[in-house]
Every structure is written in structure tokens, then in C-alpha cells.
Amino acid sequence: MLQDAGLSLDDIAGVLGAATVDEWKAIAQVRLDALDEELARLQRARDYLAGALLCRYDHPLDECRIMGTEIDRRLAEHP
């Protein structure tokens, strides 16, 4: 079950060897936070793809103003 939750073998050992409930819950919380971040990233990726599928242009990267605006925004964030 712990492997299915994505815990590493070291984390599993930490949970199984925890002396207190706080120790194993701290390990579980770190993994839960990582899962939440991954879910958010995957949802953004899904939203981008779903939006791209709505594009009616043959070449959305240079013909679609919406996609072009998003590309420009991203380039401005990472100069």
C-alpha cells in the first residue's frame, strides 16, 4: 500500500520504523504534498492540451493569437 502511494523504500522504512505517530505522519505529509503538486501540474497540462485541441488553425504556434500570447507570456517569465 505504501509503495502504491508512491513512497520510496527509504520512506517506507521510515514509516515502519517510526517511534511515534508524528514521525510517520510527517513522512506521509511530505508525500501528500508532493502528490498535490503533481496533480496540479498534471491538471495544468491537461488544460493546455484541451485548449490546444480547440484551436482551428493548421499551425497554432504562429497563427493562433491565444497560443501566441501564452507563448509570449511564458518567454517573458523565463528570460
Side-chain angles (χ1 to χ4, degrees):
M1 181 184 81
L2 296 175
Q3 281 183 313
D4 288 344
L7 271 74
S8 68
L9 292 177
D10 286 340
D11 287 341
I12 291 170
V15 168
L16 296 176
T20 67
V21 67
D22 290 338
E23 286 182 22
W24 73 260
K25 282 189 175 187
I27 294 168
Q29 187 63 56
V30 168
R31 180 60 186 147
L32 185 61
D33 293 344
L35 287 170
D36 286 342
E37 290 174 16
E38 181 68 8
L39 285 169
R41 186 191 67 75
L42 289 169
Q43 186 61 53
R44 283 190 305 274
R46 187 195 181 290
D47 291 346
Y48 291 144
L49 286 174
L53 289 174
L54 297 174
C55 183
R56 60 186 167 93
Y57 297 99
D58 289 334
H59 301 286
L61 294 181
D62 57 5
E63 294 176 358
C64 178
R65 286 189 317 222
I66 295 169
M67 300 251 327
T69 299
E70 178 62 16
I71 290 167
D72 290 343
R73 183 188 69 77
R74 287 169 177 247
L75 289 172
E77 285 180 358
H78 305 285

